[in-house]
Amino acid sequence: MNTPKKLQIVHYPDPVLRRKTKFIKKFGPDLVRLGEQMLKFMVESNGIGLAAPQVGISKKMVVVHVGEGHDPLILINPKVTWKSNTTESYVEGCLSLPSIEGPVERPLKIKVRAQHPENGEEYEFEAEGLEARCIQHELDHLDGVLFIDHLAPKDRFEVQGGLRDLERALA
């Protein structure tokens, strides 16, 4: 996997953010290093989650660390295998869409299957609350979906000006 020397956030509307990502098949120290690099960069960027496409890598990999009481996660080829029927609306933002926020309805609890970066071994775990929300947000990135795609029409309308500003900045 070609890892960039220095990670940088890819901003909307860069096309990499809308691509479906590829499965990771090669595991080992390089992948662990990339995960650790992404976690460090995410924290430095004041984020709690980061998907590989957000740093220009079109692979199925995300990192998450929502804070104290939670372990930092490096998730390879992750998939939500179960979602609770109970949902909650909460205002989300994204490092790739600076200064854009909006309320997104998501399940409160989920089960996730992923692979360990060092050996590809599969494991499953449950997440709830902010951690579950963050994982769902980051996994959306792996399918080219952004949180703005989940906004209700009136909320989507409210962020249009900010999206146009980001489009002009990238043009």
Side-chain angles (χ1 to χ4, degrees), residues 25-167:
K25 297 175 183 156
K26 186 177 176 194
F27 304 89
D30 289 346
L31 192 57
V32 172
R33 247 186 317 281
L34 175 59
E36 290 169 351
Q37 187 182 10
M38 284 176 61
L39 275 167
K40 183 176 186 262
F41 181 65
M42 174 196 75
V43 170
E44 289 169 355
S45 303
N46 297 314
I48 59 170
L50 185 68
Q54 292 181 273
V55 291
I57 302 169
S58 198
K59 299 284 186 179
K60 292 195 179 300
M61 176 178 188
V62 304
V63 297
V64 172
H65 189 214
V66 296
E68 217 169 293
H70 296 274
D71 292 328
L73 302 172
I74 300 172
L75 305 176
I76 307 301
N77 300 324
K79 178 179 177 45
V80 173
T81 59
W82 175 84
K83 296 177 183 182
S84 68
N85 291 329
T86 309
T87 62
E88 179 180 62
S89 182
Y90 190 81
V91 174
E92 293 186 16
C94 182
L95 293 172
S96 292
L97 292 119
S99 62
I100 307 285
E101 292 183 334
V104 177
E105 188 88 16
R106 293 195 191 268
L108 281 173
K109 293 183 181 181
I110 58 172
K111 281 186 186 173
V112 179
R113 183 178 305 127
Q115 291 176 274
H116 285 285
E118 62 270 87
N119 58 21
E121 186 178 313
E122 271 196 3
Y123 64 100
E124 196 167 58
F125 66 96
E126 291 184 21
E128 61 182 290
L130 182 60
E131 186 174 56
R133 173 172 296 281
C134 184
I135 290 168
Q136 291 171 83
H137 174 113
E138 299 310 329
L139 267 57
D140 275 352
H141 277 293
L142 304 182
D143 292 323
V145 175
L146 302 174
F147 84 91
I148 55 174
D149 301 331
H150 294 292
L151 296 178
K154 78 170 186 54
D155 297 318
R156 178 73 187 222
F157 179 77
E158 287 179 16
V159 301
Q160 285 303 315
L163 294 175
R164 279 192 295 276
D165 290 345
L166 290 172
E167 290 164 0

